[in-house]
Amino acid sequence: MGIVKFQDEWDELCPIFIYNQEYIEQIATGVLIDIWDNTYLLTASHVVDHFYIEKKKLYIPTKNGFEPISGVYNHSHLKEGESRDDDIIDFSFFKLSKELKSNLIDFTPLQENKINLSIDFTLNDKYKKSNELLTKYNVKKSNDYLKNNYSNFSDNILEQFASIISDITITFAGYPITKSKNKNNITYSEIVYYHGGSVEKSVYDTLSLNHNINVVAQFGRHGSMDKNYTQNNPPKKTGISGGGIYKIIKNNNGFYDRELIGIGHTKKDKQHLLIGTNINYCLSQIYKQERYHV
């Protein structure tokens, strides 16, 4: 057994689909949250562009099969000549209708106590050296592999590694489209977890990102892991757009847990970076809608 174990399922993550002619196709991920007495599905604006630009309805799985997302839409529209490549926010959300919410059986919205309202997730000086260890080991090999195969990987370093995970690990989680399968008219999908570390503010500056609005994490080159940090095959990241960005924390009962810190939208494969929008900013946009509709 590895040193990281999560007690709860990540049931707030929801795959998003469109119909292409006669078949259903997974295109992205959304995050369900309960806040201010409503349920919201958060995702990336370039996902919702399928609805506004291509005039294709977006669907999620429910007890009735695939249902179109219904409720109040809030979307960041592109102006003429603009591209999502230049959009550092890339965030949209749906306030789900009561009917659609009642039909959710495989998904459980994340509660407010699991949302982290901090702003700055850049790498602190205190953890620079530790982050090098995290980047070097945590995506390349599982913890059991390290413990069994590195004679100089002492228990002390394993404890340090566990401390790093709970202090600075940033996880991007979502449904890659390569994990979506259809067999006997039943559609299956699978969450993939990309565990990485924070980056310095200079990386944000180089990418023209705002460290108070965006979240950036750097990942190893050797693939992904399951939620308990066991190595698995590295699927392409296409489809995790709109998925959750999490800070890993340690519970008092010895298990690990996560706090939502952002919504993912962009990958930089050459730099091994994933980029998203800070959840604090996302909630500010939701609050503005609620304030104007009271």
Side-chain angles (χ1 to χ4, degrees):
M1 182 180 294
I3 58 175
V4 178
K5 189 69 176 178
F6 286 86
Q7 186 173 17
D8 297 329
E9 295 301 323
W10 301 44
D11 291 335
E12 71 275 9
L13 294 166
C14 176
I16 297 175
F17 298 79
I18 60 173
Y19 271 103
N20 268 337
Q21 298 177 343
E22 295 182 355
Y23 68 93
I24 194 82
E25 177 186 4
Q26 183 187 312
I27 60 166
T29 305
V31 181
L32 292 160
I33 67 169
D34 274 345
I35 195 167
W36 300 317
D37 298 322
N38 293 297
T39 297
Y40 298 88
L41 179 68
L42 317 184
T43 190
S45 287
H46 72 262
V47 174
V48 186
D49 284 340
H50 287 278
F51 177 80
Y52 282 98
I53 296 176
E54 302 176 23
K55 307 302 180 183
K56 293 181 178 179
K57 291 182 179 180
L58 302 177
Y59 294 80
I60 59 174
T62 74
K63 67 181 182 182
N64 298 321
F66 291 101
E67 288 190 55
I69 301 175
S70 59
V72 178
Y73 295 68
N74 186 287
H75 184 52
S76 174
H77 295 274
L78 289 171
K79 297 178 181 178
E80 187 175 352
E82 287 184 335
S83 167
R84 285 293 175 210
D85 293 338
D86 303 317
D87 182 6
I88 69 169
I89 305 299
D90 201 350
F91 169 71
S92 292
F93 65 90
F94 306 90
K95 179 180 177 181
L96 298 189
S97 67
K98 292 182 179 179
E99 292 76 14
L100 182 59
K101 178 183 177 180
S102 66
N103 290 337
L104 298 175
I105 56 172
D106 294 323
F107 307 103
T108 304
L110 202 66
Q111 301 302 304
E112 188 174 349
N113 64 344
K114 287 193 176 182
I115 298 175
N116 187 311
L117 297 180
S118 301
I119 293 178
D120 187 356
F121 290 98
T122 52
L123 183 62
N124 296 323
D125 290 340
K126 177 181 177 182
Y127 296 117
K128 284 183 180 179
K129 185 175 180 180
S130 300
N131 193 61
E132 293 174 2
L133 179 67
L134 176 70
T135 304
K136 183 177 181 181
Y137 289 117
N138 86 316
V139 176
K140 185 175 181 180
K141 301 292 183 182
S142 70
N143 300 316
D144 285 337
Y145 183 98
L146 287 170
K147 191 172 184 179
N148 294 330
N149 291 277
Y150 285 83
S151 58
N152 62 342
F153 204 73
S154 66
D155 289 338
N156 181 54
I157 296 179
L158 279 173
E159 291 176 3
Q160 181 187 7
F161 186 83
S163 175
I164 297 166
I165 289 171
S166 61
D167 283 335
I168 64 168
T169 292
I170 292 179
T171 295
F172 277 63
Y175 287 88
I177 60 175
T178 53
K179 290 292 186 178
S180 179
K181 309 293 182 184
N182 190 294
K183 185 176 180 180
N184 298 326
N185 292 323
I186 299 176
T187 300
Y188 303 87
S189 199
E190 180 182 338
I191 300 173
V192 173
Y193 307 81
Y194 300 88
H195 299 296
S198 305
V199 300
E200 298 178 16
K201 184 177 179 296
S202 60
V203 177
Y204 286 75
D205 296 337
T206 299
L207 297 170
S208 299
L209 298 173
N210 186 325
H211 72 283
N212 289 326
I213 293 178
N214 297 112
V215 180
V216 181
Q218 188 167 38
F219 299 80
R221 303 182 181 190
H222 302 279
S224 59
M225 294 188 174
D226 65 16
K227 66 176 182 179
N228 294 325
Y229 281 73
T230 301
Q231 179 78 22
N232 56 25
N233 293 327
K236 293 182 179 180
K237 300 179 181 68
T238 305
I240 70 168
S241 290
I245 312 172
Y246 300 88
K247 183 179 185 294
I248 306 305
I249 59 174
K250 190 173 183 178
N251 289 333
N252 294 329
N253 60 6
F255 286 95
Y256 285 78
D257 206 345
R258 77 278 185 198
E259 291 180 342
L260 185 68
I261 65 173
I263 302 299
H265 54 67
T266 300
K267 55 186 175 68
K268 300 280 186 182
D269 288 331
K270 290 184 178 180
Q271 299 102 314
H272 306 288
L273 298 175
L274 284 170
I275 302 168
T277 300
N278 192 298
I279 193 64
N280 212 316
Y281 180 89
C282 297
L283 293 183
S284 73
Q285 301 308 296
I286 296 174
Y287 179 73
K288 285 180 182 178
Q289 175 183 281
E290 293 304 315
R291 184 177 62 181
Y292 293 140
H293 287 81
V294 171

